[in-house]
Amino acid sequence: MRTRQQRTLARSVQCSGVGIFTNSDVKIRFFPAPENHGIQFVRTDLSGSKPIPALIENAVFRQRRTAIEFEDASVEMIEHVMAALAGLQIDNCRIEINAPEAPCFDGSALELSEEFLEAGIVEQPFPRKVISIQQPVTVDNEAGSFIQARPLNRSVMAIGYYLDYGAKSPVEPQCLTLEINPEVWMNQLAFSRTFVLEEEVAAMRELGYGQRLSAADLLVLGPDGPVDNELRTLDECVRHKMLDCLGDFALLGCDLHGYFSANQSGHALNRELIRQIRLTHQSTESETAWKVA
Ligand SMILES: [Zn+2]
């Protein structure tokens, strides 16, 4: 099996933005971390708060987003941050955040990804653990959405996503299959923004969400297409769903090799798939990937 070395940032990175659910100003800082540290979030606004490892064991149920919780601390909306780290194969990072949720940015992971690339990414002397899918794992829901992991005869992750919300939806049916690596991440997925239907916006505002954001800040889709905005690609929606998959898969805490086919899958199904894979598969690491520090 082909494995790679673990990687971390060459220097720290700081970003700021607004939280979509709490409307708060958020400062988020990313620090290099040692081998086998993984991705951990620390809530700096809660005194004495312990780091929260970004692992499926700490994921908690939320609608339309991914959140982690450990003891009294939680962080919401971590999926785009996780996707940017996973897309660029940054395995070890300590993340300090001064709010209960990650900033929304422009709904994509592009700004973060560009910041990470500018800071630089360095290899570490330990190999990255890998789970290679050995037998099919499928999860589905009553609405007919599903996501399936299947073995692949190469040491890569490939994601195929099919999205069709029906004839009445402003989102056109779209599908895409990509083999994931840092170059594909930067060129094909990082720019894709989260989207919301115009008819859902009023309900979200009633819940108090997104009060400091306008349609120009993320992708609101009405009957005639994007409101006060333009699509970055015709299939931006399916690309964002794949970005979300990548962020949720990263909760496994290791590389994942196999073919993942998704049909309308969202965060809940993605997380359930990762839980199932955690139960049914062991991670392995190749001895040939060891280097002496
Ligand atoms: Zn998303």
Side-chain angles (χ1 to χ4, degrees):
M1 183 194 306
R2 201 180 79 212
T3 58
R4 60 179 180 82
Q5 300 306 118
Q6 294 182 30
R7 307 191 337 150
T8 190
L9 288 166
R11 63 161 169 82
S12 63
V13 165
Q14 179 167 325
C15 297
S16 55
V18 172
I20 197 168
F21 289 96
T22 57
N23 308 298
S24 49
D25 287 307
V26 186
K27 273 207 178 80
I28 186 165
R29 294 190 294 170
F30 301 83
F31 295 92
E35 299 87 352
N36 299 320
H37 174 279
I39 309 298
Q40 298 190 10
F41 286 77
V42 184
R43 286 278 304 273
T44 55
D45 56 323
L46 303 177
S47 70
S49 174
K50 289 183 186 156
I52 313 170
L55 293 171
I56 191 68
E57 294 89 322
N58 296 324
V60 285
F61 180 78
R62 296 286 191 275
Q63 293 284 358
R64 305 185 63 131
R65 61 192 187 272
T66 294
I68 49 172
E69 189 174 76
F70 184 66
E71 296 188 352
D72 293 335
S74 63
V75 185
E76 312 277 327
M77 280 290 286
I78 63 163
E79 60 266 29
H80 303 162
V81 170
M82 294 299 288
L85 293 164
L88 291 171
Q89 296 179 337
I90 300 166
D91 313 305
N92 300 307
C93 186
R94 174 186 164 92
I95 303 169
E96 294 186 357
I97 184 165
N98 70 344
E101 66 172 319
C104 169
F105 299 110
D106 67 349
S108 83
L110 187 60
E111 180 182 333
L112 266 186
S113 301
E114 287 176 338
E115 291 282 351
F116 293 157
L117 280 184
E118 199 180 317
I121 301 161
V122 292
E123 287 200 338
Q124 297 174 291
F126 282 77
R128 174 72 162 161
K129 284 186 178 169
V130 181
I131 285 180
S132 192
I133 298 298
Q134 301 298 320
Q135 66 267 351
V137 182
T138 307
V139 293
D140 55 16
N141 65 18
E142 288 171 354
S145 305
F146 67 82
I147 184 162
Q148 182 183 56
R150 293 205 302 266
L152 197 60
N153 59 4
R154 287 179 302 134
S155 299
V156 296
M157 173 194 285
I159 303 176
Y161 198 107
Y162 179 68
L163 184 159
D164 184 353
Y165 295 132
K168 289 184 183 160
S169 172
V171 182
E172 303 277 347
Q174 41 200 274
C175 63
L176 185 66
T177 299
L178 291 171
E179 187 178 309
I180 309 299
N181 60 49
E183 194 181 342
V184 167
W185 166 253
M186 286 308 295
N187 295 328
Q188 308 271 355
L189 296 179
F191 64 80
S192 61
R193 291 163 296 172
T194 197
F195 57 93
V196 60
L197 302 183
E198 196 174 21
E199 63 197 39
E200 298 171 321
V201 170
M204 289 182 72
R205 290 234 194 263
E206 251 172 51
L207 290 169
Y209 301 156
Q211 288 177 348
R212 293 174 62 193
L213 299 170
S214 72
D217 295 321
L218 75 170
L219 204 47
V220 177
L221 297 170
D224 302 320
V227 179
D228 297 334
N229 221 318
E230 282 181 24
L231 288 171
R232 291 176 175 171
T233 61
L234 274 179
D235 60 355
E236 185 173 355
C237 293
V238 75
R239 288 173 193 269
H240 188 80
K241 298 300 280 186
M242 294 168 75
L243 177 159
D244 281 341
C245 283
L246 196 57
D248 291 336
F249 293 174
L251 293 172
L252 204 51
C254 65
D255 277 5
L256 184 55
H257 293 164
Y259 180 73
F260 299 83
S261 55
N263 185 320
Q264 329 271 86
S265 177
H267 296 298
L269 282 184
N270 297 346
R271 288 193 300 265
E272 187 52 32
L273 180 77
I274 292 308
R275 273 195 194 96
Q276 294 289 333
I277 291 172
R278 168 64 75 223
L279 288 174
T280 54
H281 288 70
Q282 293 286 322
S283 66
T284 54
E285 53 196 6
S286 160
E287 285 184 19
T288 57
W290 281 87
K291 277 184 196 165
V292 177

